[in-house]
Structures are given as C-alpha cells and as structure tokens.
Amino acid sequence: MKATNVLQDGAAGANIPDVLPVTENLGMLDVVEATLKNPRRLDAVARDEARQIELLPRFLGIALFSYSVFGLAMLLIVNAVPTSAYPDAPLPMPPARWSDGTGLGLLLAYNLGLIGATGICLPTFYFFSLLAGVRLSMLQIVGHVLRGKAATALVLMGILPIYVAVVLGLAVFDAPAAMLSGWLYFGLALPFVAGLEGVHTIYRGVAVMADTLPPERRCRRECFLRRLTLSWAACYTVVSPVLIYRLWQLLST
Amino acid sequence: MDMLGPTLVLYLLIGAGIAVALYLTPGQGRLVNIALAVPFWPLYLPILLAQPRASDLSSAASLPDDVMTAAIRQVDRELSALSFLEHAHAIRERLTWLRGSWLAQADRVRAMDRLLALPDYDGELTEPARGDGCLEIADVARDPNAARRANIERLRQVRHETFDDLMAKLARVRELVSRIYVAEFSGASPTSVQVMFELLTACGDTKRVEGEADAGIQTRLP
C-alpha cells in the first residue's frame, strides 16, 4: 500500500481510517503531511513503540532541516543589517559572520541547542508524566517531544519567509537601528514563538494517552497534565536559550 | 573552571558508544541514524533500550523469509492498523501474545521441516505409509523399517496439520479484522465492535471463535 494513498486528509472521505499506514518506506514528506493535515493519525500510533522507533528519526530529521534553514536565514539577516543593530542586552550577541567562519557557530548552536535541550529536559518530562499518573515509556516520551519539535519546525518554516521578507525590507530601506535590533531579538526568539505549536502538540499527544487512566480520575488528571506540560515547556524555554547562547559563544571563538 | 570542553568530549564519547550499538542493532544501522546518534544520543538511547521489548514483526529482521513469516507480517500489519479504534488499546497485550503464539507455531513447523529435510527422513527413503499411517503387526514383521517409515509419514502429516492450522488461524484473524472495520464504519453499536475484539483476542482458541463469530456477530450488525 502506498503511503500517499492513505495519508489523504481525513475530511476527504469519512471512511478513510485515521491511522498512519504501515509501509516499508514511510518517507519524510509523508510524516510532514500527516503532521500538518491530520495529527490524529500520529496520535493513533503513539502507543505503538515499534512505529515510534520508525518515526523518531523522521521527526528529528524534519526538526534539523528546519532549524538549519532557520539558522541560514538568520545568518543572512545578521550579515545584512548594520552592526549597530546587533542586540547587546542582557548579553552581547556572539559574532556570526560569513567571512571568518563564525557564522557556523550560529547555525550549529541553534541546531544542537534546540534539540540538545530536549535531551536535557527529557527525564523531567518523564517524571512529570509519572506524577500525572499517565503510563508512558521513555520511548513514548521521546516520540511525543520529537513530534512537538517537528510541529514547531514546520510552523517555523511557515513564519520564516514572512520574517525574512520584513527584516530584509527594513535593512534595504535603512530602518533605524533600534527598530532593526527589535526585529533581530524577535528573530532570535522565533523558534520559541513557533514552539507554542509544539507545546500544543505535546499536550494533545499526552492527553490522548491519558485514556489509560480510570474514567473517574481522567478529567482531574488531564487538568493536572495540562499544568505539567506547561511546566515542562517552561523548563525547556529556560534551558534551551542558555544552551544555544553558550554553544554559540563556544563555536564562534 | 571551564568544564565545557571536557564535558563535550565525554558527551561525544557516549554518543559514539550509542552509535556503535545502533550500528549493531538489526534494522537500526542506517547511516543517518548512526550519524545523528553521536550528537543526539539522549534521543536514541530510549530507541536502543526499547528494542528488545518492541519485538514487533516489522523490526524482526532475523525471521526466516518464508510464506509463514509473510502471512504473520501481513496479519500483524492489519492488527496494527486497528490501533486507532477505542477497544484496540484494551486488548493490546493479548494481541502481542497472539503474535508470539503464531511465531512459536511457525517455528515448530520450521523445526519439523528441518528434520524432514535430513537425508534419512527425506521422501526417497520413506515410502508412503498405508491409509492413516498405522501399521499392522504383520507389516512390521515383514519389514523392520516399516514402523520408522510410518512414524516419519506421521511426522509429515503433523507438519502439514500444524501449518494448515496456523494459516487457518491467520485467515480467521484477517476475516475478523475486516469485520471489525465493517462494523466500525457501518455504524454498528460499540458493543458489537467490542464483542468482535473479544473474539479476536480469543483467536488462539480457534474452535470457540468460529462458533461464536458465526452465530453472534451477523445478528448484531445493522
């Protein structure tokens, strides 16, 4: 069975099962399509550890590709705007130039930092889930979190062209340095803005898993789970900028 | 003071270890996975640790490539596709047990095949036994090897029966899966879908399933 045949939008036909097909070669684009068009298909395989093993590298690939494109776009912007517009508070922006190779630092810092912070926060999320009473294995936690990363990455890909167009427009028309600086701050934080979709995806995925709870306790626990997901997102939002900045500094010197 | 350098070296060393382990794991040794496992090993470690538990047929590369494996894989795919249904979660462990029982039965057939393929057991040395393979005392007296040949013939029959039984079970499961789909999408009551799931889980007990399925399910469908 071809993956593309089954990964149609669920709305197109009510009789199409909301399930990701088991195929020998489930491509990256199939996963992208399922993430965008009908995430319920991915919810359905969240319990299947064998499918998770198959999907995890694809989620990771989507995230890495997207963050690489984001890094390149930011590198282009940072080199296009005047140095007076570079953010310098609360910490000065590390160098990121094409000419001396420090630009690679920005590219790698975002890729390694955003994904690496996930690894750091994974045990937290695992214990949060145990605390909420949801039966999740570590593999399922990684699956949910990487799926959140992939969703974030896809939203980032959607926002990025608009952001690049706006900032390059401002740079071409010699906008004031303060305004450009503000836009640079926003740009560097763009993965976290897109990350809201990732948090939503993680919450939805984990909430689906909450049906392992007894019905009388499910409602109360889901509420608790929502708070725990938000706490985890807050933890990640604190860890990842520190990691990105430190890596950027290290790789740019 | 600067611990970042040594920490990174340790981190990458662990990553290299995980990458080697992935390389040695059947089905996970793809170059991209190995390369990504070095910097992102915390994400790959659960995959590695989950390998023995997720002994799903799709990842079981060590299974012999024969008609039984193909049939079990086919049924396994169809069962996995049921996972979006509400009752599928409740019977998950039972379905895993069923897969295990099919694999064990297929192994028995293969073991008998190996035995029957030995030079002393092959078809040329064993003449077909009469009727149901039972021998009269007179036959044994006439030919001392007759009992042995009869036993081999009986073994061959057992092999065929075991094989046929396995294929019948798998066919039955496929039929039940298709019935579950029909019930789910034709608006049958949740109770009938649940009953069919129960029958599916009872597939190890073939006689019970056949009787109950034919008698009970048709009346419940709209």
Side-chain angles (χ1 to χ4, degrees):
Chain A
M1 183 173 27
K2 295 277 182 205
T4 45
N5 293 342
V6 189
L7 281 169
Q8 299 165 25
D9 190 357
N15 288 341
I16 297 172
D18 283 336
V19 63
L20 203 67
V22 179
T23 59
E24 293 299 322
N25 296 304
L26 191 64
M28 193 91 85
L29 287 177
D30 298 322
V31 179
V32 170
E33 209 176 328
T35 307
L36 290 174
K37 287 188 176 177
N38 196 345
R40 279 184 59 206
R41 293 194 172 110
L42 294 171
D43 289 339
V45 296
R47 289 170 194 281
D48 191 338
E49 293 201 340
R51 301 303 309 278
Q52 287 294 316
I53 290 173
E54 183 192 344
L55 289 172
L56 287 184
R58 286 166 177 78
F59 288 142
L60 185 60
I62 292 167
L64 282 174
F65 175 78
S66 172
Y67 292 146
S68 298
V69 173
F70 168 77
L72 285 172
M74 283 311 294
L75 199 54
L76 176 74
I77 287 168
V78 165
N79 282 273
V81 300
T83 50
S84 58
Y86 285 4
D88 56 359
L91 292 164
M93 193 181 88
R97 284 181 293 275
W98 295 109
S99 50
D100 56 7
T102 51
L104 198 64
L106 185 153
L107 195 67
L108 288 175
Y110 267 90
N111 264 303
L112 297 175
L114 285 169
I115 310 280
T118 307
I120 292 171
C121 295
L122 271 181
T124 318
F125 199 39
Y126 180 63
F127 288 114
F128 279 6
S129 304
L130 289 183
L131 203 59
V134 181
R135 286 182 205 161
L136 285 174
S137 67
M138 197 64 184
L139 185 65
Q140 285 170 329
I141 294 282
V142 176
H144 284 299
V145 171
L146 280 186
R147 203 180 131 201
K149 283 265 142 288
T152 300
L154 292 174
V155 171
L156 186 62
M157 284 290 92
I159 305 172
L160 194 61
I162 302 166
Y163 173 78
V164 171
V166 169
V167 179
L168 286 184
L170 289 172
V172 167
F173 291 109
D174 290 327
M179 183 188 277
L180 278 172
S181 182
W183 277 96
L184 271 181
Y185 272 119
F186 180 65
L188 294 172
L190 210 55
F192 299 96
V193 177
L196 293 173
E197 172 61 19
V199 175
H200 178 241
T201 304
I202 292 171
Y203 170 68
R204 197 184 48 226
V206 178
V208 168
M209 305 294 280
D211 63 6
T212 54
L213 297 172
E216 64 274 12
R217 275 193 258 156
R218 195 174 300 161
C219 185
R220 192 160 47 88
R221 286 290 179 171
E222 274 182 14
C223 185
F224 186 46
L225 197 62
R226 192 177 302 132
R227 289 179 202 152
L228 288 178
T229 309
L230 284 174
S231 309
W232 184 82
C235 172
Y236 176 79
T237 312
V238 170
V239 170
S240 49
V242 175
L243 190 61
I244 291 169
Y245 186 80
R246 196 73 185 86
L247 281 171
W248 191 353
Q249 259 190 336
L250 181 81
L251 296 168
S252 300
T253 51
Chain B
M1 179 61 194
D2 190 10
M3 296 290 288
L4 197 61
T7 309
L8 273 179
V9 170
L10 279 175
Y11 180 89
L12 292 175
L13 275 176
I14 298 171
I18 301 278
V20 170
L22 267 182
Y23 175 72
L24 297 173
T25 306
Q28 291 298 320
R30 291 172 61 187
L31 195 63
V32 179
N33 280 352
I34 293 165
L36 288 177
V38 178
F40 303 119
W41 65 263
L43 304 175
Y44 278 88
L45 186 61
I47 294 181
L48 209 57
L49 296 176
Q51 286 292 332
R53 265 199 306 143
S55 57
D56 215 77
L57 299 167
S58 54
S59 59
S62 58
L63 286 175
D65 190 19
D66 59 16
V67 67
M68 289 180 291
T69 303
I72 294 172
R73 279 205 167 113
Q74 172 70 34
V75 173
D76 186 63
R77 279 197 290 270
E78 291 179 11
L79 284 174
S80 299
L82 281 176
S83 60
F84 73 102
L85 295 176
E86 189 186 348
H87 301 292
H89 306 316
I91 61 162
R92 188 175 177 75
E93 285 182 9
R94 174 69 183 170
L95 293 181
T96 307
W97 179 87
L98 273 180
R99 286 179 194 126
S101 73
W102 297 330
L103 287 174
Q105 194 166 348
D107 276 344
R108 281 184 60 214
V109 174
R110 285 187 205 105
M112 286 187 271
D113 278 342
R114 280 195 294 275
L115 191 62
L116 290 167
L118 290 174
D120 290 347
Y121 285 74
D122 71 5
E124 288 180 3
L125 292 179
T126 55
E127 293 166 12
R130 281 187 330 203
D132 58 357
C134 295
L135 290 171
E136 300 296 331
I137 295 173
D139 293 334
V140 178
R142 219 173 19 249
D143 182 359
N145 284 326
R148 184 170 165 275
R149 278 203 300 273
N151 287 337
I152 292 169
E153 187 54 31
R154 179 72 191 127
L155 181 63
R156 190 167 281 122
Q157 281 177 7
V158 171
R159 185 261 175 219
H160 285 304
E161 283 165 11
T162 313
F163 177 82
D164 290 345
D165 179 56
L166 174 64
M167 299 314 261
K169 277 181 195 165
L170 294 174
R172 188 71 192 161
V173 170
R174 293 189 71 190
E175 188 208 337
L176 274 171
V177 169
S178 64
R179 278 199 200 188
I180 288 171
Y181 277 127
V182 172
E184 180 70 20
F185 292 110
S186 62
S189 69
T191 318
S192 5
V193 180
Q194 192 178 357
V195 168
M196 276 185 270
F197 267 108
E198 283 167 11
L199 289 173
L200 191 59
T201 60
C203 273
D205 187 359
T206 315
K207 290 185 181 64
R208 186 166 85 95
V209 174
E210 283 173 1
E212 287 183 24
D214 295 335
I217 297 305
Q218 294 298 340
T219 55
R220 287 189 178 88
L221 290 174

